[in-house]
Amino acid sequence: MYNKGLFSDWVPKPVQLLMIALLVIVVMPLGGVYTGNISFMVGGTGALSEYFMFANYATTIGMGASMPIVLRMKMRFKVRNKFVLLLILLGLLNLVNATTLNPVVIVAVSLIIGFLKMMVAIELFLPLMMMIGDRGVFYGVFYTAVLSLNQISGYYAVEVSILYNWQQFFVIITLMCFAMALLCWVLMHNKYFALKVPLHYIDWLSIILFISTFMFSAYVLSFGKQQDWLNSTKIINSSIAAFVSFGLLVVRQFTLKRPYLSFSIFKKSNVLNGLFMLLWLGMFLGTTSLQNIFSVGVLGYDQLTNAKLNLLMIPGLIAAGITAIFWFKKQKPLKMFIFSGFSAMMGYTIIMYFSMVPEFNYENWYLPLFLKGYGMGSLFIAVWFYTLDQLELNDMLAAIGLVLVWRTFLAVGIFSALLSWFQYQFQIVSLGDLAVYMDGMTISSQSVMTNMKTIQLNAILVANKKIFGYIILVGFGVLLYVLTHHFGAKRFEYLRFIRVLSGKSIIAKRRMKERKIVEEIKDAAGSAM
């Protein structure tokens, strides 16, 4: 009646592994928009680019909203029925994106894609986790594959958009989803994972409040610069709506017998410190906007060449994954692994600080992007492992949606918006500084107009260099924090010795044995996640 696997018994093991790999390749890069072809979507729809950044954030918000209920959804439906239905729906939603020109529809579809995508992804996590065994090693393999797939899919989104049009890539994704749905119907078993559980325990009002909280926040971060931040009533009203929605969401959880979210894990030291480190990871990842301004605006790269830059991060991602596998197999402390990740990000930032010149060569990107890839991969793996380490499974599932949204949306979104605003302000300051040397007696107005492009490029370079400089200063503080943080190491273990000295060594040994058993159970729960 029950089958904890995904496939029928007659399917050979190599075919099962191949199917899981194909599903990961198709499902994990799925999104409502792809950052590489946003410029093509802007040209094709005539809408503001902020709408498509909003849609990109909406996919992450949908994933976070789905996380607390994925286990219940997994146990409620038969495996084959759920996979086939979800893949068909994902294909149809991509088809909607391919045929609509309304950016609001694309935003709504992106939210739903993220929500449904996580229900498929959780089915792929558990078999892979069971095969690999160790949670840290699993993160090393999984995040390396997923982050690399994201870079590859972004590149092909641009290439297909150039060769055909931006709608064609969504059509290809639709066909891939339909093909995988057909294979799942043939190869998967039609049984339940475990005891069938009801859906009426899900609090849909909490899900709506969760989505509204972060969708209003995403609107603020996406349209803040375009609307001139607090000078816009829309931005003010959206900010108020986000705070009110979050307040109602928190109050709602304390009135439910089975709350949708749990805030208990935020009392734990590793969770708070992990969120703090993920915030600064968002700062380094937010420099992508500066990198794009430099590569496209100053160096004059086309969209395909700019997309190739992201592929240069893949060797660094692979190096981070290999390092993580050996690190976790040797069970070494996380401190130096996390320190190496932030150091790599600092190396990328320092190189970019000294590279803000128009003569920057394409080959000069190899080292900084390798370091960026290594830093992103190692920090995604190690900080995520540390944040969720030793948590109870129920608490982890009930709070991981918030942590996921914090890591992938809020941290990156906040710093992307801040850096974009500072970049614009520093450009104005730089133009003012350059104007000091433009004397109307020595430089004619015609000469100024002729060199206007060069003046603007210099202003962009100065603004980028100044922001990278400030990030470097903050980065040294982050490195100091990582070096001084204990990462869960017990500094004092004097209670055991007191018990031994007081003649209670037998009780002390018994308590230590019980504690070890409890920790093993918690580790198993964390590995299941």
Side-chain angles (χ1 to χ4, degrees):
M1 183 177 179
Y2 303 123
N3 189 333
K4 296 186 182 301
L6 295 178
F7 302 96
S8 300
D9 295 334
W10 59 268
V11 181
K13 296 294 183 183
V15 177
Q16 294 185 22
L17 187 60
L18 177 62
M19 270 295 295
I20 292 175
L22 289 175
L23 285 167
V24 169
I25 291 172
V26 172
V27 172
M28 294 313 299
L30 271 180
V33 297
Y34 300 88
T35 54
N37 65 355
I38 283 181
S39 60
F40 300 100
M41 297 179 74
V42 170
T45 61
L48 295 171
S49 61
E50 285 80 4
Y51 279 107
F52 303 107
M53 188 58 65
F54 189 16
N56 189 37
Y57 291 148
T59 302
T60 302
I61 294 168
M63 293 169 61
S66 179
M67 275 305 303
I69 65 171
V70 288
L71 196 58
R72 183 169 291 275
M73 300 295 287
K74 175 179 176 60
M75 299 175 69
R76 172 61 180 81
F77 299 103
K78 294 180 179 179
V79 170
R80 186 175 69 184
N81 295 345
K82 188 173 76 169
F83 259 92
V84 172
L85 177 62
L86 289 175
L87 286 169
I88 290 175
L89 289 176
L90 288 170
L92 291 175
L93 290 169
N94 274 275
L95 191 60
V96 171
N97 274 354
T99 54
T100 185
L101 297 179
N102 189 336
V104 177
V105 173
I106 294 176
V107 171
V109 167
S110 301
L111 177 68
I112 301 172
I113 285 177
F115 192 85
L116 299 180
K117 167 186 170 179
M118 189 52 68
M119 295 183 188
V120 179
I122 192 67
E123 297 281 359
L124 304 175
F125 292 167
L126 296 180
L128 290 172
M129 174 66 77
M130 296 302 293
M131 284 189 291
I132 296 175
D134 185 86
R135 186 160 60 98
V137 175
F138 167 73
Y139 284 167
V141 174
F142 178 76
Y143 276 118
T144 301
V146 170
L147 293 174
S148 299
L149 283 173
N150 286 338
Q151 313 311 319
I152 295 171
S153 65
Y155 170 77
Y156 280 108
V158 175
E159 188 171 31
V160 172
S161 298
I162 292 174
L163 293 176
Y164 305 100
N165 52 54
W166 63 269
Q167 293 100 329
Q168 195 68 33
F169 188 73
F170 289 105
V171 174
I172 293 172
I173 296 296
T174 298
L175 295 176
M176 292 172 66
C177 288
F178 288 166
M180 294 309 300
L182 180 61
L183 288 174
C184 289
W185 178 262
V186 173
L187 299 177
M188 287 185 169
H189 65 73
N190 196 30
K191 298 178 181 179
Y192 289 100
F193 172 77
L195 183 66
K196 184 179 176 181
V197 297
L199 293 182
H200 62 263
Y201 291 138
I202 297 175
D203 185 56
W204 295 103
L205 179 59
S206 294
I207 295 178
I208 293 172
L209 290 172
F210 181 96
I211 291 173
S212 64
T213 297
F214 293 108
M215 287 298 283
F216 281 121
S217 302
Y219 179 86
V220 172
L221 295 176
S222 301
F223 287 87
K225 180 180 176 181
Q226 188 264 340
Q227 295 282 337
D228 197 16
W229 296 103
L230 296 180
N231 292 321
S232 168
T233 55
K234 291 182 179 179
I235 296 298
I236 295 173
N237 292 337
S238 296
S239 302
I240 294 172
F243 280 111
V244 171
S245 298
F246 186 71
L248 292 174
L249 177 65
V250 173
V251 172
R252 177 74 177 168
Q253 304 318 299
F254 289 105
T255 62
L256 294 174
K257 182 179 179 181
R258 297 177 180 87
Y260 166 72
L261 292 176
S262 172
F263 299 98
S264 60
I265 70 167
F266 297 104
K267 300 177 183 177
K268 297 182 179 293
S269 173
N270 63 305
V271 175
L272 294 176
N273 285 282
L275 293 176
F276 183 73
M277 286 184 282
L278 290 173
L279 176 66
W280 300 117
L281 172 60
M283 177 187 70
F284 287 110
L285 295 180
T287 58
T288 301
S289 60
L290 303 179
Q291 177 184 310
N292 290 335
I293 291 172
F294 177 56
S295 59
V296 177
V298 177
L299 301 180
Y301 291 171
D302 57 36
Q303 292 297 327
L304 188 62
T305 304
N306 191 50
K308 287 180 180 179
L309 294 181
N310 291 328
L311 298 180
L312 298 179
M313 292 195 295
I314 293 179
L317 291 170
I318 294 173
I322 294 172
T323 304
I325 291 171
F326 284 101
W327 205 279
F328 285 109
K329 280 188 175 181
K330 298 292 185 180
Q331 296 184 347
K332 294 183 177 181
L334 285 174
K335 174 182 286 191
M336 295 314 297
F337 188 34
I338 293 176
F339 182 80
S340 71
F342 278 114
S343 298
M345 283 297 193
M346 279 288 291
Y348 160 78
T349 308
I350 292 171
I351 292 174
M352 294 308 298
Y353 175 81
F354 288 107
S355 301
M356 288 294 116
V357 291
E359 299 81 17
F360 193 77
N361 199 356
Y362 186 84
E363 287 72 19
N364 293 337
W365 286 105
Y366 293 163
L367 178 58
L369 291 179
F370 174 85
L371 293 174
K372 184 179 181 181
Y374 177 85
M376 182 168 67
S378 59
L379 294 175
F380 262 75
I381 295 166
V383 177
W384 192 249
F385 179 90
Y386 172 69
T387 304
L388 301 181
D389 192 28
Q390 305 298 311
L391 295 180
E392 297 288 350
L393 181 60
N394 291 334
D395 290 339
M396 183 162 54
L397 283 175
I400 197 172
L402 286 171
V403 181
L404 176 67
V405 170
W406 172 264
R407 180 195 70 181
T408 312
F409 157 54
L410 278 178
V412 179
I414 288 171
F415 278 105
S416 294
L418 281 175
L419 295 182
S420 177
W421 184 81
F422 277 118
Q423 213 275 343
Y424 178 72
Q425 297 299 321
F426 289 160
Q427 274 193 59
I428 296 175
V429 173
S430 178
L431 287 173
D433 294 339
L434 289 171
V436 174
Y437 301 98
M438 297 179 187
D439 191 340
M441 299 297 293
T442 57
I443 301 177
S444 65
S445 59
Q446 291 83 1
S447 177
V448 172
M449 293 303 297
T450 304
N451 295 296
M452 184 59 71
K453 182 178 179 180
T454 303
I455 295 169
Q456 183 64 41
L457 292 181
N458 283 329
I460 292 173
L461 290 173
V462 171
N464 280 6
K465 192 179 186 75
K466 190 178 293 186
I467 293 174
F468 276 119
Y470 285 125
I471 292 174
I472 291 170
L473 295 177
V474 176
F476 281 121
V478 175
L479 291 179
L480 182 62
Y481 162 80
V482 173
L483 281 178
T484 55
H485 184 56
H486 56 83
F487 285 97
K490 296 179 181 178
R491 300 179 181 180
F492 304 103
E493 295 188 5
Y494 53 84
L495 291 177
R496 176 184 175 187
F497 298 102
I498 292 175
R499 285 177 175 172
V500 172
L501 293 174
S502 60
K504 298 180 180 179
S505 59
I506 297 176
I507 298 176
K509 290 178 181 178
R510 185 183 303 167
R511 292 291 179 266
M512 290 181 65
K513 186 176 181 181
E514 292 173 355
R515 191 183 307 161
K516 183 178 179 182
I517 294 172
V518 170
E519 292 298 329
E520 289 176 354
I521 295 173
K522 289 181 180 179
D523 281 338
S527 298
M529 182 54 226

